[in-house]
Amino acid sequence: MSGFYSTRGDKNSVSGPQAVLRGIAPDGGLYTLKDFPKIPPQELVGASFQEISRRVLGAYLEGYTREEIDGCVERAYANKFDVKEIAPLKQVGDKYVLELFHGPTAAFKDVALSVLPQLMRCAMEKEGRSDRILILTATSGDTGSAALTGFADVPGISIVVFYPDKGISPIQRAQMTTMAGENLGVCAITGNFDQAQTGVKRIFTEISPEFCREHGVSLSSANSINIGRLAPQIVYYYSAYLELVRAGRIAMGDKVDFCVPTGNFGDILAGYFALLSGLPVGRLICASNENNVLTDFLATGTYDKNRDFHVTLSPSMDILVSSNLERLLYNALDNDASAVAALMAQLKETGRYILPEQAMARIRERFVGACADDEAALAAIGRVFRETGYVMDPHTAVAWRAAEDCARADVPCVVLSTASPFKFPASVLRGLGAEVPEDAGEQTALLEKLSGEKAPASLAGVLERELRFKDVIDPNDMMQYVLGKAARA
Ligand SMILES: *Cc1c(COP(=O)(O)O)cnc(C)c1O
């Protein structure tokens, strides 16, 4: 049966446009598929990134017409990325690096958040919606700016972003707090990303329908809990694979491993969806920093978030509750929504759950976990630069280390690079063993000099721009804050 089902037990399915508009299911579950569309890579030989996007989004997001998907993809990528391939693949040493950071905010979230506002706008028109949509988003650093950029001045849609006051880089903060656009809101919370995400999820399930009706507003999400975020991420697994075939590195049908710096588990889950659609994916290596809940989960079958939260040099991976894992559990438990709901209830009450061995075995057929702390990531940045001349950001460096741990001699490994090194110049300079200047502008200049690369044009001057958003609130006050925004939206 087609359509999107809640992982927690809606009996009824919704269409692609409905799932995109809602973001999260009314029961708190995530929309996912029971059966996955087959997309044979043989049929996409020679296709551009946009052509692969059209094919993947068309296959996944049932309910949009072909013309609608074509229009969304066209508008999403026209002139927004600084390379025509969108996601170029580079050989670095004995591995490949898939650069996903060539969009307007220099992190991989741009790939999907360029498309999502288009899909949402189109869905509103299809569904004949006259209310406003208020997007709520929790960010560990990069989703915020990518979502704000994607949604800025989109008619009928407003957006509020919550970010942890401590723990994101100065450039990440400035990208959000200086963003222009009448329909934007940005607010810091005195807590970490998990608290921001929990707060947002709670607002979705607790806001009263009367309030929404009265103010003519409905809520949705730009986080990877939205299926409209996930589907565009499947595309670059295909594009990377097809590039390896084109370049003669593999034959069509050969397996390729992918190593993914992981936080909310959205990026790597898209790789699993690609596999379920017929891409010859070998292993999916789940790379974590010191917040290594997922490494432990994959090793032991116990998910346990009762542990210290570490603020690391790879802040976009500082997450203890990886939302999208829920979609993998649903699949590994043979689409048993009540079993998923029970595990999620346990997680909420006790902070942990144990996945039955059979489901765990299924996950382990494909997933392997590895983690690297800040020191290991910095060392990798320096070593890879000395050996190959390639400069990585700290998130990519965590994945590089994990890929080294899990490498197989006979299977090519693609490391997903999720951010430009120029987004984290201080950490990268440390990794390179350079003296780190105090001034952020000087850091960028020094990194340009050492790496021989230009900083992305989109990051230029961001630290000097005028501050527009200064709100800082307690995580417990998020509902209040949103009600105020919604009433004025
Ligand atoms: C968001 C992000 C990640 C983690 O991706 P998930 O889909 O949340 O697992 C990794 N690296 C960077 C730079 C990010 O912005």
Side-chain angles (χ1 to χ4, degrees), residues 101 106-109 139-143 172 193 224 229-230 233 236 260-270 286-287 294 314-319 322-324 393-396 416-420 423-424:
F101 54 75
F108 95 97
K109 309 272 192 320
T139 183
S140 55
D142 292 323
T143 299
Q172 287 178 310
F193 170 76
S224 53
R229 254 296 287 285
L230 216 48
Q233 296 178 175
Y236 44 74
V260 188
T262 295
N264 225 0
F265 209 75
D267 203 4
I268 195 167
L269 187 73
C286 175
L294 289 165
S314 40
S316 300
M317 300 160 71
D318 290 346
I319 293 179
S322 298
S323 289
N324 274 293
D393 100 292
H395 302 78
T396 310
L416 273 61
S417 177
T418 47
S420 159
K423 234 176 150 165
F424 306 93

Side-chain angles (χ1 to χ4, degrees), residues 313 373-383 394 397 426-428 430-432:
L313 299 178
D373 61 13
D374 282 345
E375 203 184 325
L378 290 178
I381 290 173
R383 185 161 36 80
S427 304
V428 174
R430 249 174 88 186
L432 297 179

Side-chain angles (χ1 to χ4, degrees), residues 375-403:
E375 203 184 325
L378 290 178
I381 290 173
R383 185 161 36 80
V384 170
F385 179 66
R386 285 191 300 278
E387 287 170 6
T388 70
Y390 189 80
V391 180
M392 300 182 294
D393 100 292
H395 302 78
T396 310
V398 167
W400 184 276
R401 278 295 303 134

Side-chain angles (χ1 to χ4, degrees), residues 230-344:
L230 216 48
Q233 296 178 175
I234 299 166
V235 175
Y236 44 74
Y237 288 89
Y238 274 86
S239 72
Y241 187 91
L242 289 161
E243 173 58 19
L244 288 172
V245 174
R246 192 203 60 78
R249 306 298 171 152
I250 56 168
M252 182 64 81
D254 289 353
K255 291 248 187 319
V256 172
D257 291 344
F258 289 88
C259 182
V260 188
T262 295
N264 225 0
F265 209 75
D267 203 4
I268 195 167
L269 187 73
Y272 188 60
F273 282 14
L275 184 159
L276 295 176
S277 283
L279 191 71
V281 174
R283 276 185 186 164
L284 289 161
I285 304 166
C286 175
S288 301
N289 62 25
E290 276 177 276
N291 297 295
N292 56 357
V293 194
L294 289 165
T295 321
D296 291 348
F297 170 69
L298 290 166
T300 65
T302 300
Y303 193 96
D304 190 350
K305 74 168 180 106
N306 301 306
R307 60 179 77 206
D308 289 341
F309 180 94
H310 299 280
V311 174
T312 74
L313 299 178
S314 40
S316 300
M317 300 160 71
D318 290 346
I319 293 179
L320 295 180
V321 183
S322 298
S323 289
N324 274 293
L325 190 62
E326 184 169 340
R327 288 187 167 111
L328 180 63
L329 300 183
Y330 183 80
N331 179 271
L333 289 161
D334 282 321
N335 307 341
D336 182 346
S338 52
V340 175
L343 293 174
M344 292 301 116

Side-chain angles (χ1 to χ4, degrees), residues 20 67 71 171 198 377 381:
V20 165
E67 289 70 33
I171 290 179
T198 305
I381 290 173

